[in-house]
Amino acid sequence: MDAEAVLQVRSFNRTVAERIGAVNDRFLHQPRPMNESRLIWEIGLEGEELRTLRMRLGLDSGYLTRVMRSLAKQGLVRVRTARQDGRVRSAHLTKSGLRVRAELDRRSDELALHILDVLTGKQREQLTSAMGQVERLLEASMVHLAIEDPTSTDAIWCFEQYFAELNSRFEGGFDPTRSISAETQELVPPRGALVIARLRGQPVGCGAVKFTKKRVAELKRMWICPALRGLGVGRRVMNELERLASEANVHLVRLETNRTLKEAIRLYRGAGYVEVEAFNAEPYAHHWFEKRLARASRFPKKELTRLVIQSRK
Amino acid sequence: MDAEAVLQVRSFNRTVAERIGAVNDRFLHQPRPMNESRLIWEIGLEGEELRTLRMRLGLDSGYLTRVMRSLAKQGLVRVRTARQDGRVRSAHLTKSGLRVRAELDRRSDELALHILDVLTGKQREQLTSAMGQVERLLEASMVHLAIEDPTSTDAIWCFEQYFAELNSRFEGGFDPTRSISAETQELVPPRGALVIARLRGQPVGCGAVKFTKKRVAELKRMWICPALRGLGVGRRVMNELERLASEANVHLVRLETNRTLKEAIRLYRGAGYVEVEAFNAEPYAHHWFEKRLARASRFPKKELTRLVIQSRK
DNA sequence: CCACTTGTCTGACGATAGTCAGATAATATA
DNA sequence: TATATTATCTGACTATCGTCAGACAAGTGG
């Protein structure tokens, strides 16, 4: 890869770590241990379950209990057992906890102001626009793909988003029951697979492959959340599905799509899909595409580990 | 200030802290305590004095001694008394210390590669270019001004840079002895002041004010290092000198300059200086400028604390 | 109902980070 | 030469962070 790009990224890391990190430290966690501040922040205005906090901050359960008790003793939080599940405990900020959080918020603003302070108006614009770009591209690089269970709540959420979008974009809406189905069982190995893209643990996109006939597969339910479009995530999901197909000895990948989905059509054409005659009777489709897969070696880089299940102690 | 800009900066901070900070941690300081790694890194290939390391990393002297001894016990560094000064001790990496450092270096590369990995070529270009811009502007916001002693080594270094630049840019060179002097004593309160701009502790620019007659001051030795030009540092130095003049009840600020110093002339004009007849016989000058100062309240924001002396325990 | 899982809590640790007061030796300064 | 100052080292602490093994209660699935 480009050595200059690597140098730029490293230099950026140093500068930013210094500017954000150091100043962040000095400004944000003033009298309080860092993890206490982080917790106050993450509990938020609405309260949060301990297990969620543990996951988000990557803390040991025993450790969390103690820090939480310390916060409770200071009168900043109240911990109580959740209604629905007697094992789960959830934390809420008290009045003075909310005050502390507001103070953190104010400090965070102050830090930002401090950075913008000495710049001219034009420089500020340049800085914020460049920051926005960096952020967007860094987020693109933080998206991870994994094969997941299509019955999970996150998978179902993705499908709902997908259907909702089709419904709003297709002329005359979209009714899943009239469309050629991809049953849940069909999206589980060995009959198929569902790939979910996640950013910070949250699902942000999906795509599925269904092995139909011998050596033929169909791509289904390609959806990327609007905020992340144009960053190549869709392309990565597709590559991954093709890799899975290739591993399953598939030689031909097919898909059908609706004419209103311009960006998807562009993605397919760009990836080497060519338009063919209708190969099924999907009522919502206007275009049918297919692509011949080369040997498995065309996909040397295995992007994901199979069935990644995230869990923390 | 622009609330949207503040939000963008904060959001940037979060994302980058997560991406760089978290991953940095996981990648870089693998088996070793963070401060040991930081020290190995900062000692560098050539070795470094302990007092410098203490300053750079902001460590307590006792603490540093112990961490250093731990590194020595691991066979990674050798500490010995400096030749020139029997009080000073300096640390050098051993062979295996150098290996550890190379490993850190490699990890740092790996992190950068990991970020660039999933991006397309065009995205990489966008990212590195945006990163460069952010870095440059962040650095601009990290520059601090302080009134300093004009006899310090850093002040002298600035003057040398300044003279060297004049010498290379003026047609026929520049000889300080032929120019109207600004004696060192003249740049110390109450007769005048020297402002030095620093980035990460290193001097990156200077500017001086000399109170000549009652209510009149002259600006002298305005210099900004080439890498930081165009970022408004010169303007800040000038504002600061004007503020000092204003505080000293000066009503008129004057300066002379050479026609080859285009960017300086632009700076002066932009700041409200107007060209006047020659008010002295400076042989190297082609333009003379002056600016009437408004009341002191025109400079409500005091940028610096007087005589900031950086020292750490 | 019984075994298993999940989420939390407790106790007992060890490692790292950070601070402070004072001792010591080498230099700088008056 | 007497008196600071500088740079380091030592000892004695405290706080925070992080980990591990096990207890316990609430829910889950057979």
Side-chain angles (χ1 to χ4, degrees):
Chain A
M1 196 172 305
D2 190 0
E4 221 169 291
V6 171
L7 282 179
Q8 172 60 71
V9 172
R10 286 188 56 170
S11 154
F12 174 86
N13 289 0
R14 270 198 305 279
T15 307
V16 169
E18 183 184 347
R19 185 59 170 160
I20 313 292
V23 186
N24 236 345
D25 285 3
R26 213 167 309 148
F27 274 70
L28 291 182
H29 72 88
Q30 271 197 332
R32 217 172 302 282
M34 166 110 90
N35 278 333
E36 286 190 12
S37 291
R38 292 213 293 161
L39 277 171
I40 290 171
W41 185 259
E42 291 291 340
I43 289 168
L45 304 178
E46 307 296 325
E48 193 55 89
E49 297 180 346
L50 294 198
R51 56 179 178 184
T52 313
L53 295 170
R54 239 172 44 227
M55 283 237 293
R56 274 224 285 269
L57 301 184
L59 300 175
D60 175 83
S61 57
Y63 183 35
L64 177 66
T65 302
R66 271 179 276 270
V67 178
M68 225 56 211
R69 193 158 41 228
S70 152
L71 287 172
K73 200 147 65 187
Q74 293 169 62
L76 301 174
V77 308
R78 259 201 332 276
V79 180
R80 57 168 179 264
T81 304
R83 262 171 283 275
Q84 342 78 287
D85 187 334
R87 295 167 298 183
V88 178
R89 308 248 290 157
S90 59
H92 294 257
L93 293 176
T94 62
K95 275 243 172 74
S96 66
L98 288 169
R99 263 200 305 280
V100 171
R101 189 174 188 279
E103 173 65 15
L104 288 175
D105 205 25
R106 208 186 54 71
R107 288 246 165 77
S108 201
D109 268 354
E110 208 171 78
L111 166 58
L113 282 169
H114 196 254
I115 288 175
L116 294 169
D117 198 30
V118 299
L119 301 180
T120 65
K122 205 172 130 202
Q123 286 178 324
R124 273 176 215 160
E125 267 171 46
Q126 280 176 7
L127 181 63
T128 49
S129 129
M131 278 181 163
Q133 238 183 323
V134 169
E135 212 187 334
R136 206 169 137 74
L137 289 163
L138 277 187
E139 282 189 334
S141 80
M142 286 163 76
V143 170
H144 290 283
L145 309 187
I147 299 176
E148 296 192 21
D149 174 10
T151 62
S152 72
T153 41
D154 281 348
I156 291 166
W157 181 84
C158 284
F159 298 155
E160 283 169 3
Q161 300 301 305
Y162 171 66
F163 291 140
E165 175 152 3
L166 297 189
N167 188 46
S168 77
R169 290 181 65 173
F170 289 2
E171 307 104 336
F174 173 76
D175 175 6
T177 61
R178 292 188 48 217
S179 173
I180 294 178
S181 70
E183 296 299 328
T184 301
Q185 319 86 281
E186 296 177 312
L187 304 184
V188 177
R191 296 178 60 190
L194 168 69
V195 166
I196 290 197
R198 289 176 181 273
L199 173 62
R200 301 191 179 91
Q202 300 301 310
V204 292
C206 63
V209 62
K210 186 171 120 185
F211 305 131
T212 46
K213 300 190 281 205
K214 204 168 183 309
R215 311 199 135 200
V216 176
E218 286 182 25
L219 298 194
K220 291 274 172 195
R221 304 198 180 173
M222 285 284 302
W223 174 78
I224 304 297
C225 82
L228 274 141
R229 285 180 199 168
L231 291 172
V233 178
R235 180 62 177 268
R236 285 172 60 196
V237 171
M238 207 173 58
N239 284 347
E240 187 55 23
L241 295 171
E242 288 178 0
R243 194 187 62 73
L244 292 169
S246 185
E247 271 187 357
N249 262 319
V250 165
H251 284 199
L252 185 72
V253 180
R254 308 197 295 196
L255 60 88
E256 77 275 349
T257 191
N258 184 284
R259 65 181 161 221
T260 62
L261 303 176
K262 305 274 190 210
E263 70 280 29
I265 293 172
R266 208 174 320 121
L267 171 67
Y268 301 138
R269 289 198 200 280
Y273 284 79
V274 292
E275 191 150 5
V276 294
E277 289 298 302
F279 54 77
N280 65 16
E282 167 61 46
Y284 291 106
H286 302 103
H287 302 282
W288 286 258
F289 289 96
E290 67 175 40
K291 174 181 181 179
R292 274 182 198 283
L293 294 186
R295 320 241 69 231
S297 61
R298 260 211 62 184
F299 306 94
K301 209 169 59 180
K302 183 166 171 179
E303 167 142 18
L304 54 81
T305 351
R306 281 179 167 271
L307 250 326
V308 172
I309 304 298
Q310 296 142 319
S311 78
R312 269 196 178 266
K313 208 186 163 190
Chain B
M1 195 173 305
D2 190 1
E4 222 169 290
V6 170
L7 282 180
Q8 172 60 72
V9 173
R10 286 189 57 171
S11 155
F12 174 86
N13 289 359
R14 270 197 305 279
T15 307
V16 169
E18 183 184 349
R19 185 60 169 157
I20 313 292
V23 186
N24 235 346
D25 285 3
R26 214 168 307 149
F27 273 69
L28 291 183
H29 73 87
Q30 271 197 330
R32 216 172 303 283
M34 166 109 90
N35 278 334
E36 286 190 14
S37 292
R38 291 212 295 160
L39 277 170
I40 290 170
W41 184 259
E42 291 291 340
I43 288 169
L45 304 178
E46 306 296 327
E48 194 54 89
E49 298 181 346
L50 294 198
R51 56 179 176 183
T52 314
L53 296 170
R54 239 174 42 227
M55 282 237 294
R56 275 225 283 268
L57 301 185
L59 299 175
D60 175 83
S61 57
Y63 183 35
L64 177 66
T65 303
R66 271 179 276 270
V67 177
M68 225 57 209
R69 194 158 40 229
S70 153
L71 286 173
K73 199 147 67 188
Q74 292 170 64
L76 300 175
V77 307
R78 258 201 332 276
V79 180
R80 56 168 178 265
T81 305
R83 261 172 283 277
Q84 342 77 287
D85 188 335
R87 294 167 299 184
V88 179
R89 308 247 290 157
S90 59
H92 293 257
L93 293 176
T94 61
K95 276 244 172 72
S96 66
L98 288 168
R99 263 200 305 279
V100 171
R101 190 175 187 280
E103 174 63 16
L104 288 176
D105 206 24
R106 208 186 55 70
R107 288 247 165 77
S108 201
D109 268 354
E110 207 171 79
L111 166 59
L113 282 169
H114 196 254
I115 289 175
L116 294 168
D117 199 28
V118 299
L119 301 180
T120 66
K122 204 173 129 202
Q123 286 178 324
R124 275 176 214 159
E125 267 171 46
Q126 281 176 5
L127 180 63
T128 50
S129 129
M131 279 181 163
Q133 239 184 320
V134 170
E135 212 185 335
R136 206 169 138 72
L137 290 163
L138 277 188
E139 283 189 333
S141 80
M142 287 163 75
V143 170
H144 290 283
L145 309 186
I147 298 176
E148 296 195 21
D149 175 10
T151 62
S152 72
T153 42
D154 281 348
I156 291 166
W157 181 84
C158 283
F159 298 156
E160 283 168 4
Q161 300 301 305
Y162 172 66
F163 291 140
E165 176 151 2
L166 296 190
N167 188 47
S168 77
R169 291 181 65 172
F170 289 4
E171 307 105 334
F174 173 75
D175 175 5
T177 62
R178 291 188 49 216
S179 173
I180 294 179
S181 70
E183 296 299 327
T184 301
Q185 318 89 280
E186 296 178 313
L187 305 183
V188 177
R191 296 178 59 192
L194 168 69
V195 166
I196 290 196
R198 289 175 180 274
L199 174 61
R200 301 190 179 91
Q202 301 301 310
V204 292
C206 64
V209 62
K210 188 171 119 183
F211 305 131
T212 46
K213 300 190 280 204
K214 202 166 181 318
R215 313 200 133 199
V216 176
E218 286 182 25
L219 297 195
K220 290 277 172 191
R221 304 199 181 174
M222 285 285 301
W223 174 79
I224 304 297
C225 82
L228 274 145
R229 288 183 196 165
L231 291 173
V233 179
R235 180 62 179 268
R236 284 172 59 196
V237 170
M238 207 173 59
N239 283 348
E240 187 56 22
L241 294 171
E242 289 177 0
R243 195 186 61 74
L244 292 169
S246 184
E247 272 188 357
N249 262 318
V250 164
H251 284 197
L252 184 71
V253 180
R254 308 197 294 195
L255 60 89
E256 77 274 351
T257 191
N258 185 285
R259 66 180 160 223
T260 61
L261 303 177
K262 305 274 190 211
E263 69 280 29
I265 292 172
R266 207 172 323 120
L267 172 65
Y268 301 139
R269 288 198 201 280
Y273 285 78
V274 293
E275 190 150 6
V276 294
E277 288 298 302
F279 53 77
N280 65 15
E282 167 63 46
Y284 291 106
H286 301 104
H287 302 281
W288 286 258
F289 289 94
E290 67 175 40
K291 174 180 181 179
R292 277 185 195 282
L293 294 187
R295 321 242 69 231
S297 62
R298 260 211 64 185
F299 306 94
K301 210 170 54 182
K302 183 166 175 182
E303 168 142 16
L304 54 83
T305 351
R306 279 178 170 271
L307 249 327
V308 172
I309 303 300
Q310 296 143 317
S311 77
R312 266 193 183 268
K313 208 188 166 187

